[in-house]
Amino acid sequence: MSDPIFAPADYFDLKQTEHAALFKDVTHAWEILPKLAAYLQEQLVPVNFGKMIGKPVIGEQVFIGRDTVVEPGAYIKGPAWIGPNCQIRHGAYIRENVIIGAGSVVGNSSEIKNSFLFNGCQVPHFNYVGDSILGAKVHLAAGVIVSNLKLNGDFIVLRMEHAILTTGLRKFGALIGDGTEVGCNAVINPGSILGRRSLIYPGVCWRGILPANSIAKRSDCVRERRS
């Protein structure tokens, strides 16, 4: 039996990013994560077209698109590419190798590291997103943590009913498909895959693969999402 494929197009609308070239010739979507640094080094030209309020800290290798607002107290370390019409709110911390799509929100006490956000993502309150890909219009409610490293530091593997798939990554948070909602204070454990339009209830500690159009009320209670 061949290994399952986690193709980018099965989880993400590649028209909802100006960086679709990153996904060319990729088998599993997470394979772009180790490529982010080299891509940004090659493609990024540091320019700030945004509106700065007060004196946020902006690193040398940062691109900020038109009509993006960066509030005081934000720290964009970079390398980072932030699209147009975004909100980078007070207390946001954007670290190395981050791409943020148009119309996205990164808010108070939210930290993003080595991650790719498609257009219209919301990471607005007390969130951590490490080594992950968030699809278009993904919303993380307050306190959601997308964890990227196992406690023992081992490589991340995906365990399925009939297969175990090694990602080759020690740091890998999640693939979160387009339109997915994650409720307040949920924890998404390393190597999780959330299909399009899935929904995680508040407070759930999730690990593993959640099919598209599913609702997870608990880690052992999953049903179809009908609306």
Side-chain angles (χ1 to χ4, degrees):
M1 181 179 295
S2 60
D3 289 337
I5 301 298
F6 295 89
D10 291 339
Y11 294 87
F12 311 114
D13 179 357
L14 297 180
K15 295 179 181 178
Q16 292 297 316
T17 178
E18 59 180 304
H19 305 280
L22 255 172
F23 293 90
K24 185 179 180 181
D25 301 325
V26 166
T27 300
H28 304 295
W30 60 75
E31 292 170 4
I32 75 156
L33 294 173
K35 300 178 180 180
L36 286 173
Y39 176 84
L40 289 170
Q41 183 177 11
E42 180 179 346
Q43 300 292 332
L44 187 149
V45 177
V47 181
N48 187 349
F49 293 117
K51 178 182 178 181
M52 305 297 104
I53 299 177
K55 295 183 179 180
V57 178
I58 312 294
E60 293 182 357
Q61 295 299 311
V62 175
F63 175 92
I64 299 176
R66 296 189 185 280
D67 299 315
T68 284
V69 176
V70 184
E71 295 182 357
Y75 180 17
I76 306 175
K77 183 177 182 180
W81 190 313
I82 301 170
N85 298 299
C86 294
Q87 297 178 39
I88 309 300
R89 295 175 178 165
H90 173 79
Y93 181 24
I94 298 172
R95 291 174 53 192
E96 304 90 341
N97 307 321
V98 172
I99 293 175
I100 297 174
S104 295
V105 175
V106 181
N108 177 41
S109 299
S110 292
E111 178 181 346
I112 302 179
K113 173 254 179 189
N114 199 72
S115 293
F116 189 108
L117 278 60
F118 280 78
N119 296 346
C121 285
Q122 295 190 34
V123 185
H125 316 285
F126 304 99
N127 305 120
Y128 176 76
V129 177
D131 299 272
S132 296
I133 307 172
L134 277 57
K137 297 184 179 180
V138 165
H139 174 241
L140 306 185
V144 171
I145 303 299
V146 184
S147 179
N148 63 335
L149 179 66
K150 296 176 69 172
L151 289 176
N152 60 10
D154 282 353
F155 285 90
I156 307 296
V157 299
L158 275 63
R159 300 182 184 277
M160 294 152 282
E161 186 176 357
H162 300 294
I164 297 176
L165 182 61
T166 300
T167 66
L169 301 174
R170 287 185 60 252
K171 292 187 176 182
F172 169 37
L175 305 181
I176 303 182
D178 295 340
T180 289
E181 303 260 353
V182 183
C184 293
N185 295 319
V187 175
I188 310 301
N189 282 284
S192 291
I193 312 290
L194 308 183
R196 283 183 163 127
R197 293 193 70 256
S198 54
L199 190 153
I200 302 281
Y201 265 37
V204 170
C205 184
W206 179 265
R207 181 190 306 277
I209 301 169
L210 183 65
N213 299 303
S214 297
I215 294 176
K217 293 187 174 182
R218 300 188 306 273
S219 59
D220 60 349
C221 181
V222 175
R223 65 176 177 83
E224 183 181 357
R225 182 176 182 178
R226 299 177 183 270
S227 61

